mmCIF file of all heavy atoms in Angstrom:
data_model
loop_
_atom_site.group_PDB
_atom_site.id
_atom_site.type_symbol
_atom_site.label_atom_id
_atom_site.label_comp_id
_atom_site.label_asym_id
_atom_site.label_seq_id
_atom_site.Cartn_x
_atom_site.Cartn_y
_atom_site.Cartn_z
ATOM 1 N N ARG F 1 101.881 102.009 77.337
ATOM 2 C CA ARG F 1 102.688 100.941 77.944
ATOM 3 C C ARG F 1 103.922 101.524 78.631
ATOM 4 O O ARG F 1 104.275 101.105 79.730
ATOM 5 C CB ARG F 1 103.109 99.929 76.882
ATOM 6 C CG ARG F 1 101.966 99.105 76.292
ATOM 7 C CD ARG F 1 101.562 97.950 77.168
ATOM 8 N NE ARG F 1 102.673 97.113 77.524
ATOM 9 C CZ ARG F 1 103.267 96.231 76.718
ATOM 10 N NH1 ARG F 1 102.832 96.048 75.506
ATOM 11 N NH2 ARG F 1 104.287 95.522 77.153
ATOM 12 N N LEU F 2 104.573 102.506 77.977
ATOM 13 C CA LEU F 2 105.723 103.148 78.614
ATOM 14 C C LEU F 2 105.292 103.859 79.890
ATOM 15 O O LEU F 2 105.993 103.800 80.902
ATOM 16 C CB LEU F 2 106.379 104.153 77.663
ATOM 17 C CG LEU F 2 107.453 103.629 76.736
ATOM 18 C CD1 LEU F 2 108.031 104.756 75.898
ATOM 19 C CD2 LEU F 2 108.558 102.916 77.477
ATOM 20 N N ALA F 3 104.152 104.551 79.836
ATOM 21 C CA ALA F 3 103.653 105.248 81.026
ATOM 22 C C ALA F 3 103.448 104.253 82.168
ATOM 23 O O ALA F 3 103.846 104.519 83.312
ATOM 24 C CB ALA F 3 102.355 105.989 80.714
ATOM 25 N N GLU F 4 102.864 103.110 81.868
ATOM 26 C CA GLU F 4 102.665 102.095 82.903
ATOM 27 C C GLU F 4 104.008 101.633 83.472
ATOM 28 O O GLU F 4 104.158 101.488 84.689
ATOM 29 C CB GLU F 4 101.903 100.904 82.323
ATOM 30 C CG GLU F 4 100.470 101.219 81.970
ATOM 31 C CD GLU F 4 99.797 100.154 81.135
ATOM 32 O OE1 GLU F 4 100.488 99.253 80.590
ATOM 33 O OE2 GLU F 4 98.568 100.214 81.029
ATOM 34 N N ASN F 5 104.979 101.425 82.596
ATOM 35 C CA ASN F 5 106.296 100.957 83.038
ATOM 36 C C ASN F 5 107.063 102.009 83.817
ATOM 37 O O ASN F 5 107.985 101.679 84.564
ATOM 38 C CB ASN F 5 107.113 100.488 81.837
ATOM 39 C CG ASN F 5 106.567 99.231 81.205
ATOM 40 O OD1 ASN F 5 105.774 98.509 81.804
ATOM 41 N ND2 ASN F 5 106.958 98.968 79.980
ATOM 42 N N ILE F 6 106.715 103.272 83.645
ATOM 43 C CA ILE F 6 107.392 104.358 84.359
ATOM 44 C C ILE F 6 106.643 104.706 85.644
ATOM 45 O O ILE F 6 107.256 104.882 86.702
ATOM 46 C CB ILE F 6 107.536 105.596 83.444
ATOM 47 C CG1 ILE F 6 108.529 105.294 82.316
ATOM 48 C CG2 ILE F 6 107.957 106.829 84.236
ATOM 49 C CD1 ILE F 6 108.544 106.327 81.202
ATOM 50 N N VAL F 7 105.325 104.798 85.564
ATOM 51 C CA VAL F 7 104.531 105.261 86.707
ATOM 52 C C VAL F 7 104.424 104.199 87.795
ATOM 53 O O VAL F 7 104.625 104.503 88.976
ATOM 54 C CB VAL F 7 103.132 105.720 86.241
ATOM 55 C CG1 VAL F 7 102.222 106.003 87.426
ATOM 56 C CG2 VAL F 7 103.249 106.955 85.350
ATOM 57 N N LEU F 8 104.092 102.968 87.436
ATOM 58 C CA LEU F 8 103.848 101.948 88.456
ATOM 59 C C LEU F 8 105.045 101.707 89.379
ATOM 60 O O LEU F 8 104.866 101.638 90.595
ATOM 61 C CB LEU F 8 103.368 100.652 87.803
ATOM 62 C CG LEU F 8 101.956 100.710 87.225
ATOM 63 C CD1 LEU F 8 101.619 99.411 86.503
ATOM 64 C CD2 LEU F 8 100.932 101.004 88.298
ATOM 65 N N PRO F 9 106.269 101.571 88.862
ATOM 66 C CA PRO F 9 107.390 101.373 89.794
ATOM 67 C C PRO F 9 107.636 102.574 90.712
ATOM 68 O O PRO F 9 108.092 102.410 91.838
ATOM 69 C CB PRO F 9 108.598 101.152 88.884
ATOM 70 C CG PRO F 9 108.029 100.707 87.588
ATOM 71 C CD PRO F 9 106.698 101.389 87.472
ATOM 72 N N ALA F 10 107.311 103.772 90.245
ATOM 73 C CA ALA F 10 107.558 104.966 91.049
ATOM 74 C C ALA F 10 106.472 105.215 92.085
ATOM 75 O O ALA F 10 106.727 105.844 93.119
ATOM 76 C CB ALA F 10 107.675 106.195 90.136
ATOM 77 N N THR F 11 105.259 104.732 91.831
ATOM 78 C CA THR F 11 104.157 105.036 92.744
ATOM 79 C C THR F 11 103.637 103.819 93.491
ATOM 80 O O THR F 11 102.865 103.981 94.436
ATOM 81 C CB THR F 11 102.973 105.661 91.972
ATOM 82 O OG1 THR F 11 102.469 104.730 91.025
ATOM 83 C CG2 THR F 11 103.378 106.953 91.285
ATOM 84 N N GLY F 12 104.017 102.632 93.085
ATOM 85 C CA GLY F 12 103.464 101.417 93.671
ATOM 86 C C GLY F 12 103.833 101.225 95.127
ATOM 87 O O GLY F 12 104.926 101.577 95.569
ATOM 88 N N VAL F 13 102.898 100.671 95.885
ATOM 89 C CA VAL F 13 103.108 100.404 97.309
ATOM 90 C C VAL F 13 104.281 99.463 97.510
ATOM 91 O O VAL F 13 105.005 99.563 98.492
ATOM 92 C CB VAL F 13 101.825 99.806 97.936
ATOM 93 C CG1 VAL F 13 102.073 99.347 99.362
ATOM 94 C CG2 VAL F 13 100.710 100.820 97.897
ATOM 95 N N LEU F 14 104.504 98.566 96.583
ATOM 96 C CA LEU F 14 105.561 97.577 96.741
ATOM 97 C C LEU F 14 106.916 98.088 96.268
ATOM 98 O O LEU F 14 107.798 97.309 95.965
ATOM 99 C CB LEU F 14 105.189 96.292 95.994
ATOM 100 C CG LEU F 14 103.904 95.628 96.490
ATOM 101 C CD1 LEU F 14 103.573 94.421 95.634
ATOM 102 C CD2 LEU F 14 104.010 95.249 97.947
ATOM 103 N N GLY F 15 107.098 99.395 96.230
ATOM 104 C CA GLY F 15 108.374 99.974 95.828
ATOM 105 C C GLY F 15 109.418 99.789 96.914
ATOM 106 O O GLY F 15 109.299 98.935 97.788
ATOM 107 N N ASN F 16 110.445 100.604 96.883
ATOM 108 C CA ASN F 16 111.527 100.510 97.863
ATOM 109 C C ASN F 16 111.049 100.952 99.243
ATOM 110 O O ASN F 16 110.271 101.874 99.380
ATOM 111 C CB ASN F 16 112.705 101.393 97.432
ATOM 112 C CG ASN F 16 113.305 100.908 96.133
ATOM 113 O OD1 ASN F 16 113.225 99.730 95.808
ATOM 114 N ND2 ASN F 16 113.896 101.810 95.381
ATOM 115 N N GLY F 17 111.550 100.303 100.278
ATOM 116 C CA GLY F 17 111.238 100.696 101.640
ATOM 117 C C GLY F 17 109.950 100.078 102.146
ATOM 118 O O GLY F 17 109.261 99.339 101.452
ATOM 119 N N GLU F 18 109.646 100.413 103.384
ATOM 120 C CA GLU F 18 108.451 99.904 104.038
ATOM 121 C C GLU F 18 107.236 100.734 103.653
ATOM 122 O O GLU F 18 107.314 101.963 103.621
ATOM 123 C CB GLU F 18 108.635 99.960 105.558
ATOM 124 C CG GLU F 18 109.651 98.978 106.089
ATOM 125 C CD GLU F 18 109.212 97.539 105.900
ATOM 126 O OE1 GLU F 18 108.041 97.223 106.178
ATOM 127 O OE2 GLU F 18 110.049 96.725 105.459
ATOM 128 N N PRO F 19 106.114 100.093 103.348
ATOM 129 C CA PRO F 19 104.890 100.851 103.040
ATOM 130 C C PRO F 19 104.435 101.661 104.248
ATOM 131 O O PRO F 19 104.604 101.250 105.385
ATOM 132 C CB PRO F 19 103.866 99.772 102.712
ATOM 133 C CG PRO F 19 104.614 98.515 102.516
ATOM 134 C CD PRO F 19 105.915 98.656 103.232
ATOM 135 N N HIS F 20 103.868 102.832 103.995
ATOM 136 C CA HIS F 20 103.296 103.683 105.031
ATOM 137 C C HIS F 20 102.100 104.395 104.420
ATOM 138 O O HIS F 20 101.771 104.178 103.250
ATOM 139 C CB HIS F 20 104.339 104.668 105.580
ATOM 140 C CG HIS F 20 105.103 105.391 104.520
ATOM 141 N ND1 HIS F 20 104.610 106.502 103.869
ATOM 142 C CD2 HIS F 20 106.309 105.140 103.966
ATOM 143 C CE1 HIS F 20 105.497 106.911 102.967
ATOM 144 N NE2 HIS F 20 106.536 106.092 103.001
ATOM 145 N N ALA F 21 101.414 105.243 105.177
ATOM 146 C CA ALA F 21 100.178 105.885 104.713
ATOM 147 C C ALA F 21 100.390 106.630 103.400
ATOM 148 O O ALA F 21 99.564 106.554 102.489
ATOM 149 C CB ALA F 21 99.640 106.823 105.784
ATOM 150 N N ASP F 22 101.492 107.340 103.269
ATOM 151 C CA ASP F 22 101.752 108.088 102.039
ATOM 152 C C ASP F 22 101.980 107.158 100.852
ATOM 153 O O ASP F 22 101.670 107.515 99.721
ATOM 154 C CB ASP F 22 102.966 109.011 102.196
ATOM 155 C CG ASP F 22 102.697 110.149 103.169
ATOM 156 O OD1 ASP F 22 101.509 110.430 103.439
ATOM 157 O OD2 ASP F 22 103.668 110.753 103.662
ATOM 158 N N SER F 23 102.512 105.966 101.109
ATOM 159 C CA SER F 23 102.733 105.000 100.029
ATOM 160 C C SER F 23 101.417 104.645 99.360
ATOM 161 O O SER F 23 101.333 104.558 98.139
ATOM 162 C CB SER F 23 103.358 103.712 100.559
ATOM 163 O OG SER F 23 104.566 103.933 101.194
ATOM 164 N N PHE F 24 100.393 104.437 100.168
ATOM 165 C CA PHE F 24 99.098 104.045 99.622
ATOM 166 C C PHE F 24 98.453 105.187 98.851
ATOM 167 O O PHE F 24 97.820 104.961 97.819
ATOM 168 C CB PHE F 24 98.194 103.514 100.738
ATOM 169 C CG PHE F 24 98.710 102.235 101.323
ATOM 170 C CD1 PHE F 24 99.440 102.233 102.497
ATOM 171 C CD2 PHE F 24 98.500 101.029 100.678
ATOM 172 C CE1 PHE F 24 99.940 101.058 103.021
ATOM 173 C CE2 PHE F 24 98.999 99.839 101.194
ATOM 174 C CZ PHE F 24 99.725 99.855 102.371
ATOM 175 N N ALA F 25 98.632 106.411 99.313
ATOM 176 C CA ALA F 25 98.100 107.571 98.587
ATOM 177 C C ALA F 25 98.814 107.718 97.245
ATOM 178 O O ALA F 25 98.177 107.959 96.215
ATOM 179 C CB ALA F 25 98.255 108.838 99.426
ATOM 180 N N LEU F 26 100.134 107.587 97.243
ATOM 181 C CA LEU F 26 100.902 107.698 96.004
ATOM 182 C C LEU F 26 100.526 106.583 95.026
ATOM 183 O O LEU F 26 100.382 106.817 93.825
ATOM 184 C CB LEU F 26 102.401 107.673 96.300
ATOM 185 C CG LEU F 26 103.334 107.934 95.129
ATOM 186 C CD1 LEU F 26 103.066 109.303 94.502
ATOM 187 C CD2 LEU F 26 104.787 107.854 95.591
ATOM 188 N N ASP F 27 100.319 105.373 95.550
ATOM 189 C CA ASP F 27 99.898 104.258 94.713
ATOM 190 C C ASP F 27 98.564 104.587 94.035
ATOM 191 O O ASP F 27 98.396 104.353 92.843
ATOM 192 C CB ASP F 27 99.764 102.993 95.556
ATOM 193 C CG ASP F 27 99.296 101.794 94.748
ATOM 194 O OD1 ASP F 27 100.056 101.339 93.870
ATOM 195 O OD2 ASP F 27 98.169 101.325 94.992
ATOM 196 N N GLU F 28 97.627 105.149 94.794
ATOM 197 C CA GLU F 28 96.315 105.471 94.236
ATOM 198 C C GLU F 28 96.426 106.588 93.195
ATOM 199 O O GLU F 28 95.755 106.537 92.161
ATOM 200 C CB GLU F 28 95.344 105.872 95.357
ATOM 201 C CG GLU F 28 93.910 105.886 94.918
ATOM 202 C CD GLU F 28 93.420 104.554 94.373
ATOM 203 O OE1 GLU F 28 93.868 103.482 94.814
ATOM 204 O OE2 GLU F 28 92.550 104.581 93.468
ATOM 205 N N VAL F 29 97.283 107.574 93.438
ATOM 206 C CA VAL F 29 97.487 108.648 92.456
ATOM 207 C C VAL F 29 98.034 108.063 91.149
ATOM 208 O O VAL F 29 97.589 108.426 90.055
ATOM 209 C CB VAL F 29 98.415 109.744 93.010
ATOM 210 C CG1 VAL F 29 98.870 110.695 91.927
ATOM 211 C CG2 VAL F 29 97.722 110.504 94.131
ATOM 212 N N GLY F 30 98.987 107.162 91.239
ATOM 213 C CA GLY F 30 99.529 106.510 90.043
ATOM 214 C C GLY F 30 98.454 105.737 89.299
ATOM 215 O O GLY F 30 98.360 105.798 88.069
ATOM 216 N N CYS F 31 97.597 105.019 90.035
ATOM 217 C CA CYS F 31 96.516 104.262 89.401
ATOM 218 C C CYS F 31 95.511 105.190 88.724
ATOM 219 O O CYS F 31 95.021 104.896 87.626
ATOM 220 C CB CYS F 31 95.803 103.388 90.434
ATOM 221 S SG CYS F 31 96.809 102.008 91.016
ATOM 222 N N ILE F 32 95.208 106.320 89.360
ATOM 223 C CA ILE F 32 94.267 107.281 88.770
ATOM 224 C C ILE F 32 94.848 107.868 87.492
ATOM 225 O O ILE F 32 94.150 107.973 86.479
ATOM 226 C CB ILE F 32 93.918 108.393 89.791
ATOM 227 C CG1 ILE F 32 93.069 107.795 90.910
ATOM 228 C CG2 ILE F 32 93.221 109.565 89.117
ATOM 229 C CD1 ILE F 32 92.914 108.708 92.112
ATOM 230 N N LEU F 33 96.117 108.251 87.517
ATOM 231 C CA LEU F 33 96.766 108.790 86.321
ATOM 232 C C LEU F 33 96.698 107.771 85.183
ATOM 233 O O LEU F 33 96.296 108.094 84.063
ATOM 234 C CB LEU F 33 98.219 109.174 86.611
ATOM 235 C CG LEU F 33 99.077 109.528 85.394
ATOM 236 C CD1 LEU F 33 98.523 110.754 84.676
ATOM 237 C CD2 LEU F 33 100.524 109.742 85.805
ATOM 238 N N LEU F 34 97.084 106.541 85.460
ATOM 239 C CA LEU F 34 97.080 105.515 84.405
ATOM 240 C C LEU F 34 95.668 105.204 83.925
ATOM 241 O O LEU F 34 95.451 104.983 82.736
ATOM 242 C CB LEU F 34 97.787 104.255 84.889
ATOM 243 C CG LEU F 34 99.294 104.417 85.075
ATOM 244 C CD1 LEU F 34 99.889 103.162 85.713
ATOM 245 C CD2 LEU F 34 99.980 104.729 83.759
ATOM 246 N N SER F 35 94.713 105.226 84.825
ATOM 247 C CA SER F 35 93.328 104.998 84.430
ATOM 248 C C SER F 35 92.857 106.075 83.453
ATOM 249 O O SER F 35 92.229 105.767 82.433
ATOM 250 C CB SER F 35 92.428 104.980 85.674
ATOM 251 O OG SER F 35 91.085 104.830 85.316
ATOM 252 N N ALA F 36 93.177 107.326 83.745
ATOM 253 C CA ALA F 36 92.788 108.418 82.844
ATOM 254 C C ALA F 36 93.489 108.282 81.487
ATOM 255 O O ALA F 36 92.866 108.478 80.437
ATOM 256 C CB ALA F 36 93.120 109.764 83.482
ATOM 257 N N LEU F 37 94.772 107.933 81.503
ATOM 258 C CA LEU F 37 95.500 107.758 80.240
ATOM 259 C C LEU F 37 94.952 106.582 79.446
ATOM 260 O O LEU F 37 94.845 106.649 78.215
ATOM 261 C CB LEU F 37 96.994 107.581 80.502
ATOM 262 C CG LEU F 37 97.724 108.793 81.092
ATOM 263 C CD1 LEU F 37 99.188 108.451 81.359
ATOM 264 C CD2 LEU F 37 97.588 110.011 80.217
ATOM 265 N N ARG F 38 94.560 105.502 80.133
ATOM 266 C CA ARG F 38 93.970 104.348 79.435
ATOM 267 C C ARG F 38 92.637 104.720 78.790
ATOM 268 O O ARG F 38 92.367 104.344 77.652
ATOM 269 C CB ARG F 38 93.772 103.191 80.403
ATOM 270 C CG ARG F 38 95.051 102.510 80.794
ATOM 271 C CD ARG F 38 94.775 101.341 81.743
ATOM 272 N NE ARG F 38 96.008 100.854 82.298
ATOM 273 C CZ ARG F 38 96.312 100.868 83.599
ATOM 274 N NH1 ARG F 38 95.449 101.326 84.481
ATOM 275 N NH2 ARG F 38 97.475 100.418 84.010
ATOM 276 N N ASP F 39 91.805 105.463 79.545
ATOM 277 C CA ASP F 39 90.514 105.888 78.986
ATOM 278 C C ASP F 39 90.722 106.767 77.764
ATOM 279 O O ASP F 39 90.031 106.616 76.755
ATOM 280 C CB ASP F 39 89.696 106.642 80.035
ATOM 281 C CG ASP F 39 89.157 105.730 81.123
ATOM 282 O OD1 ASP F 39 89.174 104.493 80.950
ATOM 283 O OD2 ASP F 39 88.714 106.269 82.163
ATOM 284 N N TRP F 40 91.652 107.691 77.858
ATOM 285 C CA TRP F 40 91.936 108.595 76.744
ATOM 286 C C TRP F 40 92.411 107.801 75.525
ATOM 287 O O TRP F 40 91.967 108.021 74.406
ATOM 288 C CB TRP F 40 92.992 109.591 77.182
ATOM 289 C CG TRP F 40 93.206 110.784 76.302
ATOM 290 C CD1 TRP F 40 92.568 111.098 75.129
ATOM 291 C CD2 TRP F 40 94.132 111.831 76.542
ATOM 292 N NE1 TRP F 40 93.055 112.283 74.631
ATOM 293 C CE2 TRP F 40 94.013 112.751 75.483
ATOM 294 C CE3 TRP F 40 95.050 112.081 77.550
ATOM 295 C CZ2 TRP F 40 94.791 113.904 75.397
ATOM 296 C CZ3 TRP F 40 95.811 113.238 77.471
ATOM 297 C CH2 TRP F 40 95.685 114.129 76.407
#
């Protein structure tokens, strides 16, 4: 739960500033990390 609360705000597309191509890649990396941690 802490990981979700830390990772999602830092990697989410809806973070600070305007979304751009790198925003979507970072969002997906955050989702992949959390998915692996959830499976584990």
Side-chain angles (χ1 to χ4, degrees):
R1 292 279 307 284
L2 272 182
E4 292 168 347
N5 292 343
I6 291 168
V7 171
L8 289 175
T11 63
V13 172
L14 299 176
N16 296 333
E18 291 294 315
H20 48 81
D22 292 341
S23 302
F24 294 98
L26 187 59
D27 179 66
E28 194 58 32
V29 168
C31 290
I32 290 168
L33 170 62
L34 291 173
S35 177
L37 294 177
R38 287 181 190 118
D39 288 346
W40 193 0

